[in-house]
């Protein structure tokens, strides 16, 4: 299913580009920052690079590459419903990263210096996860050592959606955009493949879909009005 969507979007971009495409691509780089109650102070981030291929009226598709990830708040590895002498004896640490290709049939409405944008972005690539079972010692809850660790990686595909403003010019060749994002990345797809040997120990899987803010810088190396 994921490969079908990738082929569909690729063909859509190529077909329209044959009809009417801008002479040169416009390149971008950006960062998105996400917060979630399960992440607390850590949150997670995503870096992106890519190109707006062309713009045909309000249709301005992009292709790119995104890399991101984060860590969950450290917490007890035991379910609170499980009776053990001391729930703080075990600590769970979870991290995840993803590297994905992106296809974005972006829509732009407005004038050059004040576009309103809507981006339904499709991601396909690899999701990596880690989970560590740590032990505590003493009254100060100091770490003893890593009792057990798990690593895994899976193929992934997901959507994200963004609305924002674009075209806030620095010069004729440089401008930037601001946007609000909602990502459907699901780290559970990799964490669910992990299991610790310790009895009653488990990898929790809170939702990782959440809202974030993003900023992008665009660069037009050709700097003409028609590009």
């Amino acid at each position: 299913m994921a490969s079908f969507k990738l082929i569909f979007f690729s063909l859509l971009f190529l077909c329209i580009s044959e009809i009417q495409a801008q002479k040169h691509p416009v390149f971008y780089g950006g960062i998105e920052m996400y917060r979630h109650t399960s992440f607390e102070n850590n949150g997670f981030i995503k870096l992106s690079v890519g190109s707006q291929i062309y713009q045909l009226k309000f249709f301005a598709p992009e292709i790119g590459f995104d890399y991101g990830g984060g860590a969950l708040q450290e917490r007890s590895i035991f379910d609170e419903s499980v009776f053990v002498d001391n729930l703080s004896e075990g600590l769970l640490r979870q991290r995840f990263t993803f590297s994905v290709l992106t296809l974005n049939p972006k829509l732009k409405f407005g004038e050059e210096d004040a576009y309103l944008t809507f981006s339904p972005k499709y991601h396909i690539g690899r999701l990596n996860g880690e989970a560590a079972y740590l032990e505590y010692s003493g009254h100060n809850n100091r770490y003893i050592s890593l009792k057990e660790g798990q690593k895994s990686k899976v193929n992934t595909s997901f959507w994200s959606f963004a609305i924002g403003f674009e075209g806030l010019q620095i010069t004729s060749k440089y401008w930037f955009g601001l946007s609000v994002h909602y990502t459907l990345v699901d780290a559970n797809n990799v964490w669910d493949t992990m299991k610790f040997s310790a009895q009653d120990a488990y990898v929790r899987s809170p939702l990782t879909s959440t809202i974030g803010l993003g900023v992008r810088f665009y660069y037009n190396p050709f700097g003409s009005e028609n590009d």
Side-chain angles (χ1 to χ4, degrees), residues 15 24-25 52 62 64 69 71 74 88 107 109 120 127-128 138 145 150-152 166 183 185-186 190-191 202 218 226:
C15 288
H24 306 289
Q52 178 181 296
E62 297 177 344
E74 294 174 345
S88 67
L107 304 178
F109 304 95
L127 178 66
N128 299 280
S145 62
Q150 297 281 339
K151 291 184 179 181
S152 184
E166 182 185 314
T183 178
V185 59
D186 188 1
V190 68
W191 286 331
Y202 75 110
Y218 287 84
N226 297 324

Side-chain angles (χ1 to χ4, degrees):
M1 189 61 163
S3 60
F4 173 78
K5 291 179 180 178
L6 180 61
I7 293 171
F8 172 78
F9 278 113
S10 299
L11 289 175
L12 178 63
F13 289 173
L14 290 174
C15 288
I16 296 180
S17 65
E18 290 297 324
I19 298 174
Q20 181 178 350
Q22 65 187 32
K23 294 180 180 179
H24 306 289
V26 173
F27 302 99
Y28 69 80
I31 183 171
E32 298 163 24
M33 303 185 68
Y34 295 88
R35 295 280 291 175
H36 195 289
T37 55
S38 296
F39 291 82
E40 295 204 348
N41 293 330
N42 292 321
F44 66 94
I45 65 172
K46 184 174 74 171
L47 304 175
S48 61
V49 294
S51 173
Q52 178 181 296
I53 307 171
Y54 57 86
Q55 182 173 352
L56 177 60
K57 295 185 178 180
F58 58 83
F59 187 50
E62 297 177 344
I63 58 173
F65 174 81
D66 287 4
Y67 178 83
L72 291 182
Q73 178 194 13
E74 294 174 345
R75 61 202 182 281
S76 170
I77 197 170
F78 298 104
D79 189 334
E80 295 179 357
S81 64
V82 176
F83 177 78
V84 294
D85 293 335
N86 186 358
L87 285 175
S88 67
E89 288 179 352
L91 185 71
L92 176 65
R93 178 185 294 157
Q94 289 173 248
R95 297 188 178 95
F96 75 100
T97 61
F98 55 88
S99 52
V100 291
L101 296 176
T102 62
L103 296 169
N104 177 14
K106 184 176 69 177
L107 304 178
K108 298 173 64 174
F109 304 95
E111 303 298 330
E112 289 185 4
D113 59 345
Y115 282 113
L116 176 66
T117 62
F118 173 66
S119 298
K121 186 188 292 187
Y122 182 69
H123 310 66
I124 182 170
R126 183 62 58 88
L127 178 66
N128 299 280
E130 298 181 22
Y133 179 6
L134 305 173
E135 290 183 307
Y136 275 158
S137 174
H139 298 294
N140 294 326
N141 289 334
R142 303 175 70 89
Y143 297 121
I144 298 178
S145 62
L146 173 67
K147 183 172 182 178
E148 189 174 352
Q150 297 281 339
K151 291 184 179 181
S152 184
K153 55 186 178 181
V154 298
N155 294 328
T156 188
S157 61
F158 59 93
W159 287 90
S160 67
F161 303 90
I163 56 174
F165 293 96
E166 182 185 314
L168 307 172
Q169 286 196 347
I170 303 172
T171 70
S172 60
K173 291 188 176 183
Y174 297 91
W175 65 92
F176 68 95
L178 301 173
S179 52
V180 177
H181 297 255
Y182 180 69
T183 178
L184 294 174
V185 59
D186 188 1
N188 296 328
N189 291 337
V190 68
W191 286 331
D192 286 345
T193 65
M194 303 176 186
K195 185 177 181 180
F196 290 108
S197 60
Q199 186 177 5
D200 297 327
Y202 75 110
V203 179
R204 295 188 183 184
S205 299
L207 294 176
T208 50
S209 300
T210 189
I211 296 174
L213 297 175
V215 59
R216 272 190 181 181
F217 289 90
Y218 287 84
Y219 172 53
N220 180 359
F222 309 99
S224 68
E225 294 181 356
N226 297 324
D227 292 317

